[in-house]
Amino acid sequence: MIPRLVDIPPLETERLILRAPEARDFDVLAPFVMSDRASFIGGGSDKDATDAWRVLAILSGHWHLRGYGVYVLQPKGSAKAIGSMGPWNPEGWPEPELSWTIWDAEAEGKGYAFEAMTEIRRYAYDVLGWDTAVSYIDAANARSIALAERMGCVIDTAASGPHSDDVVYRHPSFAEVLA
């Protein structure tokens, strides 16, 4: 029997199921981690399956250690994961983050990240009780910067990220999101 993260509340959007990470996600995550598409999150062509397995273990373990974590995105009607997104706060982070990654290149540009992050941000404010949220983005990551700006985030020059090349994007407050 494989224990599962059964207490993680799934979330849904119009097109997506947001669920706990599972071992079966490795088949989609591994090629991403081992590609240069993952260079902004520590992956790259110099990584191997062992590194990818560690990433999946970290995503799963964060839930146990913090009580919240990154969801895996799965389009409704499909069994294939396409990315991971959610509240993230590893040791050493200046403050909790809302993070996102699309693993499957075929899923990019379809609005999945915006759709999922809108629901995840609501969850972080409404259920987790966060007063504010940031996203740490590498200054060279144009796609993530575009998503942050589409979500109404602004650069917070007073905040610092966990890495020297991070730009800190501050999300609108809960009241602003509801307005």
Side-chain angles (χ1 to χ4, degrees), residues 11 19 23 31 33 43 52 54 93 96 103 112-113 117 119 125 129 131 140 146 157 173 175 178:
L11 303 176
R19 59 164 176 77
V33 169
R54 286 187 185 107
W93 253 226
W103 304 340
Y112 289 132
M117 286 308 301
E119 177 61 18
Y125 287 153
D131 294 326
T157 57
S173 70
L178 291 178

Side-chain angles (χ1 to χ4, degrees), residues 66-128:
R66 295 282 192 216
Y68 58 85
V70 172
Y71 285 93
V72 170
L73 279 63
Q74 183 176 316
K76 290 179 178 177
S78 171
K80 183 180 178 184
I82 60 168
S84 59
M85 302 179 185
W88 183 244
N89 189 18
E91 185 59 34
W93 253 226
E95 61 185 292
E97 174 186 21
L98 293 178
S99 68
W100 54 79
T101 304
I102 294 289
W103 304 340
D104 182 351
E106 295 294 318
E108 286 186 348
K110 296 183 178 175
Y112 289 132
F114 180 80
E115 183 177 326
M117 286 308 301
T118 299
E119 177 61 18
I120 287 167
R121 183 168 61 189
R122 183 213 54 81
Y123 175 81
Y125 287 153
D126 193 36
V127 176
L128 298 179

Side-chain angles (χ1 to χ4, degrees), residues 141-162:
N141 190 341
R143 290 188 79 98
S144 282
I145 289 169
L147 176 59
E149 291 174 351
R150 183 175 177 208
M151 293 184 66
C153 302
V154 295
I155 295 174
D156 184 345
T157 57
S160 61

Side-chain angles (χ1 to χ4, degrees), residues 159-177:
S160 61
H163 307 103
S164 62
D165 52 356
D166 288 336
V167 177
V168 180
Y169 278 84
R170 178 82 47 196
H171 287 258
S173 70
F174 190 42
E176 292 170 317
V177 169

Side-chain angles (χ1 to χ4, degrees), residues 35-48:
S35 75
D36 288 332
R37 288 183 59 249
S39 63
F40 294 120
I41 63 156
S45 58
D46 61 330
K47 303 301 180 197
D48 62 21

